[in-house]
Amino acid sequence: MKVKGVRLYGADDLRTEEFELPPLKDDEILLRIISDSLCMSTWKESRLGADHIRVPNDVSRNPIITGHEFSGIIAKVGKKWKDEYTEGEHFAVLPGIPGYMGAPGYSFPYFGGDMTYCIIPNDIIEKGCLLHYSGSSFYEVSMAEPIYCIIGGFNSNYHTTDQSYEKPIGVRPGGNTIILGGCGPMGLGAVSYALALGTDKRPGRIVVTDVNEERLNRAEVVISKETAAEKGVELLYVNTAECTAELDVLMELTNGYGYDDVFVFAPIRSLAETGNKILAMDGCMNLFAGPADKNFCAEINLYDCHYKRTKIIGSSGGSKQDLLDALDLISNGKLDPSLMITHIGGIDAIADATLNLPKIPGGKKLMYLPIDLPLTAIVDFRAKGKDNELFRMLADSCESHNGLWNPEAEKILLNYYNIDL
């Protein structure tokens, strides 16, 4: 069958093309892709091409499909899997394949999220990477992938216990957590997840820093201090660009104690060094943002590492259970991933948006594979709606949901294009 997709041929070489899928084997499953959320990791992959650790060396001759935050419908099931999967059901995909460096959106010619239909190979299904999902909206599954990475990050942090070698995982309950560079989509997702933790697991104070006043203002609207206070958490937003003595300001917020858990959400040397300096006794710093530079380095305080038991770790992705937890939190309304989304678009906008992702302001860019639609900011819906019925309807829907993308808006979009689900 002929499909349309975005293929990577090399560094900065993304092409939207039509091509033939090979016949489906008895041990494979055909997936119909409805939505995919663009990830900064895909931008890094597109910049590096074959130099990326997950991209095959022969990508110039055998291009791969991009996109790993996707959702949709199972279109056809090979004979081997007829008892496990049903045609027409919704799915989620675990992007981190256990024991395998390759991943959907990085390594496969026909398995990825930026195409209208894709084939999931037998060995990936056998590893338990194709999950059932009973929810009705597609974008929530696409957004579960970044949330799963956030959960994986929180579960990677750990602390120590006096007179014991046990290492409790997670942020310190009732402690101080700071998210540096945290008003982007992933940072807001991390705040939302921290507030969704049980009362015996969530921090007592969350500090979120950024240097962009517009991002800070939006953050305070979508996750207010009052909302956090209702859950017993003090939430503080800080514009560090306005701080003449950044370290002093951040430490004063904890009365000089420091931070039990530091998350670095932008791969910037000065940010990592700040995080290291504000760690409390037994503090843990997580370099969450993945650097594109293989030689990315920063100075660390080894004295504190020895005497104050400070720790520096990195995390990427998560476990299957982290993805299941993300889907559960979303489907039960305990975490709203809509606050991460600021733009929507169609398959024709994916390549350009991916290559220019750092230059496009806002949060997550949610793309719908069955349609052609320019990348459009949600805040622009009302203005575009003056001459366009679709955007008028979308503006009405989003404005009735605190300015956020939502299941009703998704249905309006897909119905407008007569997408048969």
Side-chain angles (χ1 to χ4, degrees), residues 81-154:
W81 298 104
K82 288 287 187 182
D83 293 336
E84 175 66 25
Y85 299 97
T86 304
E87 293 173 6
E89 72 169 302
H90 292 205
F91 68 83
V93 170
L94 177 67
I97 304 169
Y100 190 69
M101 180 56 70
Y106 295 90
S107 316
F108 297 91
Y110 306 114
F111 179 34
D114 290 338
M115 60 189 303
T116 49
Y117 289 83
C118 79
I119 294 173
I120 179 167
N122 173 67
D123 57 338
I124 309 303
I125 306 172
E126 287 186 340
K127 289 179 179 292
C129 295
L130 182 62
L131 310 179
H132 304 277
Y133 184 69
S134 58
S136 57
S137 72
F138 296 98
Y139 80 89
E140 291 179 333
V141 180
S142 284
M143 300 308 297
E145 195 280 339
I147 297 297
Y148 125 99
C149 292
I150 290 166
I151 296 175
F154 272 63

Side-chain angles (χ1 to χ4, degrees), residues 24-29 76-84:
L24 191 73
K25 298 176 183 177
D26 286 344
D27 60 358
E28 297 176 332
I29 293 177
K76 189 174 181 180
V77 181
K79 182 167 55 177
K80 175 179 176 177
W81 298 104
K82 288 287 187 182
D83 293 336
E84 175 66 25

Side-chain angles (χ1 to χ4, degrees), residues 1-5 17-23 30 110 115-118:
M1 64 182 292
K2 182 162 284 189
V3 298
K4 187 176 181 180
E17 302 176 319
E18 289 190 352
F19 51 93
E20 291 285 338
L21 276 186
L30 180 69
Y110 306 114
M115 60 189 303
T116 49
Y117 289 83
C118 79

Side-chain angles (χ1 to χ4, degrees), residues 204-260:
R205 178 184 290 117
I206 301 174
V207 177
V208 186
T209 75
D210 209 290
V211 295
N212 185 292
E213 191 65 26
E214 184 178 345
R215 286 198 298 263
L216 283 156
N217 290 337
R218 181 178 184 271
E220 292 201 48
V221 171
V222 297
I223 310 179
S224 69
K225 299 175 183 178
E226 292 74 20
T227 297
E230 291 173 2
K231 298 196 173 185
V233 177
E234 181 185 13
L235 177 60
L236 301 169
Y237 292 102
V238 180
N239 187 340
T240 51
E242 298 178 350
C243 298
T244 55
E246 179 181 352
L247 291 176
D248 291 341
V249 170
L250 297 179
M251 290 297 291
E252 285 173 7
L253 295 177
T254 67
N255 298 315
Y257 173 83
Y259 294 86
D260 303 290

Side-chain angles (χ1 to χ4, degrees), residues 381-382 391-412:
F381 285 177
R382 180 58 65 195
F391 284 113
R392 184 194 65 76
M393 293 187 293
L394 292 177
D396 289 342
S397 177
C398 291
E399 288 172 7
S400 68
H401 290 80
N402 197 31
L404 301 177
W405 192 246
N406 59 85
E408 178 191 58
E410 180 175 83
K411 289 179 181 178
I412 291 170

